[in-house]
Amino acid sequence: MTEVRLPKPGDAITEAEVTEFFVDNGASVSEGDRLYSIATDKAEMDIEAPSSGTVSWKVEEGGTYQVGTAVAVIS
């Protein structure tokens, strides 16, 4: 089981909006696939899956979360 946390895209960034899920809840993902995207006031970026397995989302698309928040579990 791999816990996926919201990354810190920059030194002064403390939170980011989860703008889009590329994988549905309960769907399979392969390591390196695009998993979700985030946006801050300065940048937008796609986050890749750190491992392969089944995705279980812990946050909502469109929500703003603190850096380090657990956004999903891949099992």
Side-chain angles (χ1 to χ4, degrees), residues 4-6 16-21 25 36-38 56-66 68-73:
V4 180
R5 297 193 169 270
L6 190 72
E17 178 185 355
V18 175
T19 55
E20 184 178 0
F21 294 150
N25 197 47
Y36 66 102
S37 63
I38 62 171
S56 178
W57 292 108
K58 303 297 181 191
V59 297
E60 306 248 338
E61 199 173 70
T64 299
Y65 302 96
Q66 294 294 313
T69 298
V71 296
V73 173

Side-chain angles (χ1 to χ4, degrees), residues 4-49:
V4 180
R5 297 193 169 270
L6 190 72
K8 185 171 185 161
D11 289 340
I13 307 288
T14 59
E15 64 182 20
E17 178 185 355
V18 175
T19 55
E20 184 178 0
F21 294 150
F22 298 118
V23 179
D24 291 331
N25 197 47
S28 293
V29 67
S30 295
E31 183 176 350
D33 287 352
R34 291 187 323 157
L35 188 59
Y36 66 102
S37 63
I38 62 171
T40 69
D41 57 342
K42 297 183 184 222
E44 293 182 17
M45 60 191 307
D46 292 345
I47 309 301
E48 295 180 352

